[in-house]
Amino acid sequence: MVQKPTALLIDFDGVLRTFDTSVNAVIEQQYGLEPGTVLSTALEWDRLLPAITGRITREQWLATVAEALQERVGGPDQAAALMKEWVVYPGHVRPDVLAFVRDVRAAGLPVCLATNATDDLGNVLATFNLTGEFDAVANSSEIGIHKPTKEYFAAACALINTPPARCLLIDDTDRMIRGARVAGLTAYRYTDGDDLTYPRRALGI
């Protein structure tokens, strides 16, 4: 029998925060790159994994991206300039998703931000005035284990003192949803424009 969730784990990028891809596309085109090149390079798993498990810093990770692109943009100085411009745009927080988080907490249910992130996540949350919006933050680079491993979810649930069987994850990626279910959580895939009716009903708010 499936237990009713009494706590929420929610992803950051793709759920609470979103990006207008056209902003950085303009920058990339100025350096002779196809739109999305920097992000796809940054997200290459062998490059990303050390950053989201705390083995290297955000700055070191971005430096590896610049190094990978330098021959395509005219050398290391151009690559460094590209990355300096590319990181300026922070995206934006979806107000409806933030309102949902606040409603969950107002109902007395704990909320954990559950995200694969680098060591600067705290600064990012502060930039958006989100520091006090969660009961806990499960940052993979601090935990040292990345989502969607079973160990990551166990650690995230422990941060809000709730067993996995009573936690609901909201994420925008199928791989994360599948991993959460294997770890014993209830999981719901978020898509852009979702009104979150199902999670509200599942949590009884």
Side-chain angles (χ1 to χ4, degrees), residues 30-54:
Q30 290 172 346
Y31 285 83
L33 298 175
E34 289 292 320
T37 298
V38 176
L39 182 62
S40 63
T41 303
L43 295 182
E44 289 173 359
W45 190 239
D46 289 345
R47 179 172 291 109
L48 178 65
L49 182 60
I52 62 170
T53 51

Side-chain angles (χ1 to χ4, degrees), residues 7-204:
L8 173 67
L9 273 62
I10 190 164
D11 185 33
F12 190 43
D13 288 340
V15 180
L16 185 56
R17 177 168 72 164
T18 187
F19 295 88
D20 178 351
T21 57
S22 68
V23 175
N24 279 339
V26 172
I27 297 170
E28 289 171 308
Q29 289 171 328
Q30 290 172 346
Y31 285 83
L33 298 175
E34 289 292 320
T37 298
V38 176
L39 182 62
S40 63
T41 303
L43 295 182
E44 289 173 359
W45 190 239
D46 289 345
R47 179 172 291 109
L48 178 65
L49 182 60
I52 62 170
T53 51
R55 298 203 296 273
I56 62 174
T57 66
R58 175 179 180 269
E59 292 303 319
Q60 290 171 324
W61 170 55
L62 294 176
T64 71
V65 178
E67 184 179 6
L69 295 173
Q70 63 185 19
E71 291 185 6
R72 299 171 64 180
V73 298
D77 291 344
Q78 282 289 91
L82 162 63
M83 295 307 298
K84 188 174 181 179
E85 291 186 58
W86 188 80
V87 299
V88 169
Y89 172 55
H92 66 272
V93 170
R94 288 185 168 108
D96 54 331
V97 178
L98 180 56
F100 167 72
V101 168
R102 290 171 173 170
D103 287 347
V104 173
R105 296 186 74 200
L109 306 180
V111 177
C112 177
L113 184 68
T115 182
N116 285 338
T118 63
D119 64 336
D120 75 324
L121 178 62
N123 294 332
V124 173
L125 297 180
T127 297
F128 287 111
N129 295 315
L130 293 174
T131 304
E133 296 289 353
F134 313 100
D135 297 283
V137 175
N139 180 353
S140 62
S141 64
E142 292 183 359
I143 296 171
I145 309 168
H146 64 86
K147 188 171 61 169
T149 62
K150 188 173 183 178
E151 294 79 6
Y152 171 88
F153 285 118
C157 294
L159 287 174
I160 48 175
N161 299 310
T162 307
R166 302 305 295 267
C167 288
L168 167 65
L169 171 75
I170 299 179
D171 204 293
D172 64 317
T173 306
D174 278 337
R175 180 167 166 260
M176 306 305 177
I177 297 298
R178 293 195 300 270
R181 289 172 178 163
V182 169
L185 289 76
T186 302
Y188 175 80
R189 186 177 179 190
Y190 177 89
T191 55
D192 191 21
D194 196 322
D195 64 4
L196 298 169
T197 296
Y198 174 82
R200 286 181 180 275
R201 288 176 179 169
L203 293 165

